[in-house]
Amino acid sequence: QVQLVESGGGLVQAGGSLRLSCAASGSIFSITSMGWYRQAPGKQRELVAVITTGANINYADSVKGRFTISRDNAKNTAYLQMNSLKPEDTALYYCNARVTAFPAVTGNYWGQGTQVTVSS
């Protein structure tokens, strides 16, 4: 069993910053990738940023230059530093990880989500 626990969401004014964390735990053999998705009310869930074990990174165009994803492989933890936040960044942010768990089962796992609200 694998669990992802997010933290760091909250309410911030436009132009402010927040840092999200996602810690993976459980019977983990390896983690191929960790990423962040978000879902605003009435909208589909969308990719924000993803980082692979080899440090390949992809960002949504809407967050390039403002958000930075990073990962601590030793701690099985991913981070999302969000700067210059805009009201349109308001959403429920979910952590996702592609994990190979013992004995050898690979799957996608999701956290419970953390709310980010940006006021204008």
Side-chain angles (χ1 to χ4, degrees), residues 38 62-63 66-67 84-91 93 116 118:
R38 67 187 181 186
S62 58
V63 307
R66 300 188 298 122
F67 291 11
S84 302
L85 282 161
K86 305 175 181 180
E88 51 263 44
D89 295 317
T90 295
Y93 283 69
V116 172
V118 184

Side-chain angles (χ1 to χ4, degrees), residues 8-24:
L11 173 64
V12 65
Q13 289 188 333
S17 299
L18 285 173
R19 189 190 194 213
L20 306 183
S21 299
C22 172

Side-chain angles (χ1 to χ4, degrees), residues 11-12 15 20 23 31 56 66 69 77 85 99 108 117:
L11 173 64
V12 65
L20 306 183
I31 299 178
N56 293 313
R66 300 188 298 122
I69 189 170
T77 299
L85 282 161
V99 178
N108 277 316
T117 303

Side-chain angles (χ1 to χ4, degrees), residues 5-6 9 24 27-28 36 61 86 89 101 113 117:
V5 178
E6 302 120 329
S27 303
I28 297 171
W36 293 93
D61 288 342
K86 305 175 181 180
D89 295 317
T117 303

Side-chain angles (χ1 to χ4, degrees), residues 1-2 26-30 99-107 109:
Q1 205 47 289
V2 175
S27 303
I28 297 171
F29 176 72
S30 65
V99 178
T100 298
F102 289 103
V105 179
T106 299
Y109 294 86

